[in-house]
Amino acid sequence: MADFKGFIKNRGVSLYISLIALVCGVAALILYAVTGVTAFTSSLNYGLIAALVVGIVINVASTILGEKLLKYAAYAVYLFALLQYVYVEITYIANVFVSIDGTSFSASFIMTFILCIAAAALMFASAVLAKDYLAGERVKKA
């Protein structure tokens, strides 16, 4: 139990931000999986699902290991997932902006978009605020 308290104490605010980013990533994945098929998108995009899953896995690994480079990698993957989401939904976005049939943005689209942005932004903040716990070990080994 003392080791766990030390683990939490040593990670600082970066740990909490990473965990919030993890929750946002998982929520975006679940929300997209449930509401991703629409009149404009006939099937789920497995590239987007894979990007979110990889981002979540890297996020968990970076949170456990405390590796700063992994946090930046998770940020990049979450950012790719956001761009992939926009790419997948581009016909829907264009339809809303052109207002062809009076369609407006759905709550699920807005929430998935916000959750993807939040996961990427929070992971970037976590990476910036993180200490690189493995840097000392790399220097000693070199």
Side-chain angles (χ1 to χ4, degrees):
M1 186 68 172
D3 291 337
F4 183 71
K5 286 182 182 178
F7 173 81
I8 300 274
K9 188 175 182 180
N10 289 336
R11 298 291 190 226
V13 72
S14 175
L15 173 70
Y16 300 111
I17 295 173
S18 290
L19 293 175
I20 295 170
L22 178 66
V23 169
C24 289
V26 170
L29 176 64
I30 292 169
L31 191 59
Y32 176 71
V34 171
T35 64
V37 176
T38 64
F40 298 97
T41 311
S42 60
S43 64
L44 294 177
N45 184 295
Y46 295 108
L48 172 59
I49 292 172
L52 284 170
V53 169
V54 169
I56 290 166
V57 168
I58 295 173
N59 188 344
V60 168
S62 71
T63 302
I64 293 170
L65 298 175
E67 176 64 35
K68 193 169 188 168
L69 289 176
L70 282 177
K71 290 183 183 291
Y72 282 113
Y75 157 70
V77 174
Y78 280 141
L79 188 62
F80 174 76
L82 171 66
L83 296 175
Q84 184 74 13
Y85 183 65
V86 170
Y87 172 74
V88 167
E89 297 291 340
I90 197 68
T91 56
Y92 176 59
I93 295 167
N95 187 24
V96 170
F97 284 143
V98 175
S99 189
I100 294 171
D101 58 2
T103 303
S104 61
F105 288 121
S106 66
S108 61
F109 172 82
I110 293 170
M111 283 305 301
T112 305
F113 186 75
I114 289 171
L115 287 168
C116 286
I117 289 174
L122 289 167
M123 212 52 224
F124 182 74
S126 175
V128 169
L129 295 173
K131 298 176 189 173
D132 194 359
Y133 295 99
L134 299 180
E137 293 177 18
R138 278 193 233 116
V139 172
K140 290 176 187 173
K141 290 179 183 178

